[in-house]
């Protein structure tokens, strides 16, 4: 009889037996053991937002006094923080997951154990969350060093980034289950790059025409940036709960679709 971990009771009642064993943490542990020998590649993604901050926040920022009453470096930094959470999670949940499914055949071995597709989806999402959280924590330390955190509400920034990372990881995993070859990952870049450039990362929403403004306000990175920017600058209101709810729904749907698709792919 397989021992059930504490705290898994509710989910075990909802998810049918065979799909979830409550042992997703085992996949997180495996990912840690694999990546601890390749730590340089793991942390290399942290430097990209730092370079953007130095080149645009402080370089281009010399030509811009303030945006919405906030000095330009302090305006750009929280947006790059949100982008760090997105990048760290989504690339781990897409490229790495695809390799494990198509080439390493890792999950065929996993399903030979009591674990099921939901364990795989939750475990991989949690690892991608940790990677996104690592990037976010490192960049937040850089922001503190440059004096770009103005509000005590910033203590909630890291939990917010973890939620953002979880949501992007879940959706990235779900999308990866539909990928057929490495060429399909061009679509990931095609989606992530415009999100990074147009989600009010470097300039306010007011510069867009009305129709494009409406499109931007539906994008996930826009909600992430609004959340982190409000917490670091102190412009906090009840509207932030809407951003939190957006990512909670996004994460739940992503994990549900990923688990269902993984079950079909690996048990077909």
């Amino acid at each position: 009889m397989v021992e059930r971990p504490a705290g898994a009771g509710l989910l075990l009642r909802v998810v049918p037996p065979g799909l979830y064993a409550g042992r997703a943490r085992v996949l997180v542990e495996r990912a840690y053991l694999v990546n601890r020998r390749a730590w340089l590649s793991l942390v290399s993604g942290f430097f990209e937002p730092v370079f953007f901050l130095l080149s645009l926040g402080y370089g281009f920022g010399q030509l811009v006094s303030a945006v919405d009453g906030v000095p330009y470096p302090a305006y750009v930094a929280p947006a790059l923080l949100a982008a760090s959470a997105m990048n760290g999670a989504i690339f781990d949940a897409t490229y790495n997951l695809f390799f494990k499914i198509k080439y390493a055949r890792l999950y065929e071995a996993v399903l030979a154990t009591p674990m099921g597709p939901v364990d795989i989806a939750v475990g991989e999402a949690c690892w991608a969350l940790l990677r996104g959280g690592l990037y976010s924590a490192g960049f937040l330390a850089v922001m503190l060093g440059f004096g770009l955190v103005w509000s005590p509400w910033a203590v909630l920034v890291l939990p917010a980034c973890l939620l953002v990372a979880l949501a992007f990881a879940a959706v990235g995993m779900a999308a990866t289950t539909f990928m057929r070859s490495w060429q399909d990952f061009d679509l990931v870049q095609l989606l992530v790059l415009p999100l990074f450039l147009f989600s009010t990362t470097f300039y306010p929403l007011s510069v867009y025409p009305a129709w494009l403004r409406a499109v931007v306000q539906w994008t996930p990175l826009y909600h992430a940036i609004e959340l982190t920017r409000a917490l670091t600058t102190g412009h906090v209101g009840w509207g932030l709960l809407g951003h939190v709810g957006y990512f909670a729904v996004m994460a739940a749907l992503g994990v549900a679709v990923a688990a269902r698709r993984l079950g079909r792919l690996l048990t077909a």
Side-chain angles (χ1 to χ4, degrees):
M1 181 176 177
V2 178
E3 182 185 353
R4 303 297 190 184
L10 177 61
L11 190 54
L12 287 169
R13 293 191 190 99
V14 175
V15 181
L19 296 182
Y20 183 66
R23 294 185 173 275
R25 70 183 188 280
V26 176
L27 282 174
V28 177
E29 182 181 358
R30 178 200 174 274
Y32 165 74
L33 293 174
V34 169
N35 284 278
R36 68 179 181 177
R37 296 180 180 273
W39 62 269
L40 186 59
S41 63
L42 183 66
V43 302
S44 60
F46 155 76
F47 295 101
E48 181 180 356
V50 175
F51 294 150
F52 271 108
L53 177 62
L54 295 176
S55 62
L56 292 175
Y58 286 97
F60 177 74
Q62 297 298 317
L63 306 176
V64 181
S65 57
V67 177
D68 295 335
V70 179
Y72 194 67
Y75 181 84
V76 170
L80 294 174
L81 176 63
S84 295
M86 176 186 74
N87 290 333
I90 203 166
F91 286 113
D92 196 273
T94 52
Y95 292 95
N96 288 347
L97 185 73
F98 185 78
F99 176 80
K100 292 173 184 176
I101 294 173
K102 294 290 186 180
Y103 298 98
R105 302 289 183 182
L106 170 66
Y107 303 126
E108 294 178 4
V110 170
L111 291 180
T113 73
M115 290 192 290
V118 177
D119 292 282
I120 295 172
V122 173
E124 293 295 347
C126 288
W127 173 251
L129 178 152
L130 291 175
R131 185 168 181 172
L134 176 66
Y135 289 178
S136 300
F139 189 72
L140 182 59
V142 172
M143 290 176 61
L144 288 168
F146 280 99
L148 299 177
V149 177
W150 293 7
S151 168
W153 285 101
V155 297
L156 298 177
V157 167
L158 190 55
C161 286
L162 290 175
L163 177 61
V164 170
L166 176 61
F168 275 106
V171 170
M173 283 174 27
T176 301
T177 61
F178 292 93
M179 301 293 183
R180 297 161 298 176
S181 67
W182 290 112
Q183 284 70 30
D184 290 338
F185 283 91
D186 291 340
L187 298 174
V188 177
Q189 291 287 357
L190 185 63
L191 177 64
V192 170
L193 185 58
L195 280 179
F196 177 67
L197 293 176
F198 297 109
S199 297
T200 69
T201 311
F202 301 108
Y203 30 80
L205 191 64
S206 58
V207 304
Y208 296 117
W211 67 270
L212 186 55
R213 198 178 306 159
V215 172
V216 169
Q217 287 177 309
W218 280 99
T219 60
L221 186 57
Y222 167 79
H223 289 275
I225 290 173
E226 287 294 295
L227 186 58
T228 56
R229 189 172 279 154
L231 291 173
T232 56
T233 59
H235 297 99
V236 176
W238 290 108
L240 295 187
L241 295 178
H243 301 307
V244 172
Y246 181 100
F247 287 110
V249 172
M250 183 176 166
L253 289 176
V255 169
V257 172
R260 185 179 181 87
R261 288 285 303 166
L262 285 170
R264 288 183 178 180
L265 288 173
L266 300 174
T267 60

